[in-house]
C-alpha cells in the first residue's frame, strides 16, 4: 500500500495540467492570439456601430422634438373673445408662443418636419417625422406631395409596422380628399 501511495504522491495532477496547458499554448499559441485579436476587433466594431446608431437616433429625436413643439403649439385666433377661465386671445397676449390659424402652425411645422425626416430618414424619429410631414401637407391641401410622403413612410417603415399602416390610411384619406 505504501508503494502505491508513493507513486500517487509523485504524480502531481496540477503539474501535469500546467505542463499540458503549456504544451498546448506552444503548439497553437499563434492561432489563439489571432482568435483573441479577432474577437476584440469584432467587439469594438459592434460597439462602434451601436454607439453610432444611438447617436443618430438621438439627433433625429431632437429634430423631431423641435417640430413637435410647433405642432403642439396652441392656435388662438387674434379676434377671439375670451370667457373667464379660457386662454386669452392671441392679440391680448401679444401672440407669443401661439398661432392665430392652424394653417400658420402647419406652415411653420412643415420645414422642421422635413428637416428631421430628410436628415435621419431610416431612424424611428425620421419615419415619425415623415408621417407627420405627410399629415401636415394633407391638412394644408397639398395632397399630391402628401401621398408621396405617405408612400415613403410605407417604404421605410414597412407595411406591417404601425406607421406603415397609418401611412396607408393617410394616403387613402389624401386620395379621397383629392377626388381620386
Amino acid at each position: 500500500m505504501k508503494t502505491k501511495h508513493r507513486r500517487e504522491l509523485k504524480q502531481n495532477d496540477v503539474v501535469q495540467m500546467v505542463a499540458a496547458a503549456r504544451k498546448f499554448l506552444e503548439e497553437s499559441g499563434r492561432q489563439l492570439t489571432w482568435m483573441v485579436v479577432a474577437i476584440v476587433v469584432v467587439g469594438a466594431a459592434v460597439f462602434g456601430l451601436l454607439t453610432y446608431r444611438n447617436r443618430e437616433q438621438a439627433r433625429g429625436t431632437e429634430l423631431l422634438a423641435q417640430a413637435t413643439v410647433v405642432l403642439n403649439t396652441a392656435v388662438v385666433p387674434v379676434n377671439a373673445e375670451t370667457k373667464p377661465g379660457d386662454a386669452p386671445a392671441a392679440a391680448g397676449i401679444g401672440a407669443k408662443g401661439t398661432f392665430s390659424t392652424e394653417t400658420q402652425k402647419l406652415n411653420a411645422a412643415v420645414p422642421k418636419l422635413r428637416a428631421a425626416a430628410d436628415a435621419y430618414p431610416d431612424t424611428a424619429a425620421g419615419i415619425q417625422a415623415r408621417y407627420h410631414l405627410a399629415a401636415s401637407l394633407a391638412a394644408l391641401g397639398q395632397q399630391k406631395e402628401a401621398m408621396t410622403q405617405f408612400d415613403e413612410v410605407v417604404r421605410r417603415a414597412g407595411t406591417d409596422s404601425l406607421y406603415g399602416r397609418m401611412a396607408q390610411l393617410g394616403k387613402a384619406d389624401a386620395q379621397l380628399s383629392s377626388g381620386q
Side-chain angles (χ1 to χ4, degrees):
M1 193 66 158
K2 289 184 179 183
T3 319
K4 185 178 178 185
H5 187 61
R6 253 187 257 142
R7 282 188 192 143
E8 286 178 11
L9 289 175
K10 285 182 183 179
Q11 294 176 349
N12 190 342
D13 292 336
V14 175
V15 171
Q16 286 177 349
M17 252 186 359
V18 169
R22 184 178 291 154
K23 182 180 176 187
F24 177 76
L25 284 175
E26 287 173 359
E27 292 173 358
S28 56
R30 193 171 209 160
Q31 292 172 341
L32 287 174
T33 302
W34 283 112
M35 286 174 56
V36 168
V37 167
I39 289 170
V40 168
V41 167
V42 168
V46 168
F47 177 76
L49 179 65
L50 291 176
T51 302
Y52 172 76
R53 288 181 65 194
N54 286 340
R55 190 175 329 152
E56 291 295 301
Q57 183 66 27
R59 288 178 182 161
T61 302
E62 185 178 325
L63 286 176
L64 176 62
Q66 292 171 5
T68 303
V69 165
V70 175
L71 282 176
N72 291 332
T73 301
V75 174
V76 182
V78 174
N79 58 359
E81 293 182 25
T82 59
K83 298 175 186 171
D86 285 348
I93 58 173
K96 191 161 185 123
T98 62
F99 292 99
S100 59
T101 65
E102 185 74 18
T103 303
Q104 284 180 338
K105 178 174 83 168
L106 293 174
N107 281 329
V110 163
K112 292 178 180 287
L113 290 166
R114 191 179 308 276
D118 291 343
Y120 305 101
D122 293 321
T123 64
I127 291 169
Q128 188 176 354
R130 191 167 307 280
Y131 173 79
H132 287 295
L133 170 64
S136 296
L137 290 169
L140 288 170
Q142 300 174 21
Q143 307 303 333
K144 186 175 180 182
E145 188 177 354
M147 286 186 278
T148 303
Q149 294 298 332
F150 281 130
D151 285 339
E152 189 66 18
V153 170
V154 171
R155 188 179 75 75
R156 291 185 186 278
T159 56
D160 292 336
S161 71
L162 176 64
Y163 277 102
R165 290 180 190 149
M166 289 182 358
Q168 289 172 337
L169 291 173
K171 181 180 179 185
D173 187 46
Q175 288 173 329
L176 185 63
S177 294
S178 68
Q180 293 183 1

